[in-house]
């Protein structure tokens, strides 16, 4: 890794750690605030799915902290124990957000479809991209084409990170609209749920910007080596 790329990476690592720390702090704080409806994250998810006339999606408990996700392949909303069992603002916000992805899937939301189609390429790329880029940097003067191949592979991860942004923001938008319309929260609770989801979205924004900045750095290195030849 060149000094420039390392410097950029360290900046974004610091920002990412800061955002992650704030998100965890918000989650812990809002986990102490019970929702007026008294519904658990599991019940919130099931109600949101029913209200959107989605009946083929199961709500399951998964292990881990903030490991919540929607799996379009198995059509399951997977909630971490704190969210699945919690009857608080944080659990309600996260559960509704993940159901927002299920609503996207049912509505054939194009950005979610594009993201799903990119998953196989992303899984393949993530296994080899670091090694290809490392080899490309080491052989930059003798075999610059290897770095170009690494840039193309890394660009796939960058595109994936960028495509993820509208998917995540839209899921939160759908979640907040439903939480407001369903009246499972009071206005003050709704504002805290919105704040929690905003910080969650910022983790994806930071990741996308970091990927974009790193990709630009590698492109500059390749172009510099090409011009010297």
């Amino acid at each position: 890794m060149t000094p420039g790329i390392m410097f950029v990476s360290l900046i974004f690592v610091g920002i990412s750690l800061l955002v992650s720390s704030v998100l965890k702090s918000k989650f812990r704080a809002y986990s102490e605030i019970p929702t007026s409806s008294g519904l658990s994250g599991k019940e919130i998810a099931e109600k949101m799915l029913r209200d959107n006339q989605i009946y083929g999606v199961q709500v399951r408990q998964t292990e881990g902290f903030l490991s919540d996700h929607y799996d379009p392949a198995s059509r399951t909303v997977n909630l971490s124990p704190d969210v699945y069992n919690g009857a608080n603002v944080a659990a309600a916000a996260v559960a509704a957000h993940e159901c927002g992805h299920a609503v996207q899937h049912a509505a054939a939301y194009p950005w979610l479809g594009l993201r799903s189609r990119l998953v196989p390429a992303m899984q393949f790329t993530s296994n080899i991209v670091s090694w290809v880029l490392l080899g490309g940097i080491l052989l930059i003067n003798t075999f610059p084409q290897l770095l170009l191949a690494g840039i193309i592979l890394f660009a796939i991860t960058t595109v994936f990170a960028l495509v993820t942004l509208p998917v995540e923001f839209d899921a939160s938008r759908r979640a907040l609209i439903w939480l407001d319309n369903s009246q499972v929260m009071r206005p003050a609770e709704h504002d805290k749920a919105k704040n929690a989801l905003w910080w969650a979205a910022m983790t994806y924004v930071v990741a996308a910007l970091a990927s974009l900045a790193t990709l630009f750095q590698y492109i500059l290195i390749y172009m510099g080596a090409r011009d010297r030849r």
Side-chain angles (χ1 to χ4, degrees), residues 142-153:
T142 57
F143 188 32
Q145 294 83 1
L146 183 59
L147 179 57
L148 178 60
I151 289 172
I152 294 172
L153 291 173

Side-chain angles (χ1 to χ4, degrees), residues 81-100:
D82 289 337
V83 173
Y84 188 90
N85 299 304
N88 52 67
V89 170
V94 174
H97 172 87
E98 297 309 330
C99 286

Side-chain angles (χ1 to χ4, degrees), residues 16 18 40-41 56-57 71 77 85 88 119-120 139 150 168 173 200 210 212:
S16 179
L18 176 61
S40 67
V57 174
D71 185 352
V77 172
N85 299 304
N88 52 67
V119 168
L139 301 174
E168 295 300 323
R173 181 187 66 82
L212 196 60

Side-chain angles (χ1 to χ4, degrees), residues 43-111:
E43 292 167 331
I44 288 283
E46 290 174 340
K47 177 172 172 55
M48 183 170 173
L49 292 173
R50 287 196 308 270
D51 287 354
N52 284 275
Q53 299 182 335
I54 299 173
Y55 303 105
V57 174
Q58 291 185 323
V59 180
R60 297 178 179 174
Q61 180 172 311
T62 188
E63 297 303 316
F65 176 69
L66 291 180
S67 56
D68 313 87
H69 63 282
Y70 170 68
D71 185 352
S74 62
R75 300 196 68 194
T76 56
V77 172
N78 301 275
L79 303 177
S80 59
D82 289 337
V83 173
Y84 188 90
N85 299 304
N88 52 67
V89 170
V94 174
H97 172 87
E98 297 309 330
C99 286
H101 290 307
V103 176
Q104 289 175 335
H105 191 187
Y109 182 60
W111 287 106

Side-chain angles (χ1 to χ4, degrees), residues 179-201:
L179 287 171
D180 187 35
N181 292 338
S182 64
Q183 298 182 335
V184 297
M185 286 182 166
R186 293 191 297 264
E189 296 168 7
H190 184 274
D191 290 343
K192 291 179 174 61
K194 182 177 181 179
N195 183 248
L197 292 179
W198 187 86
W199 280 102

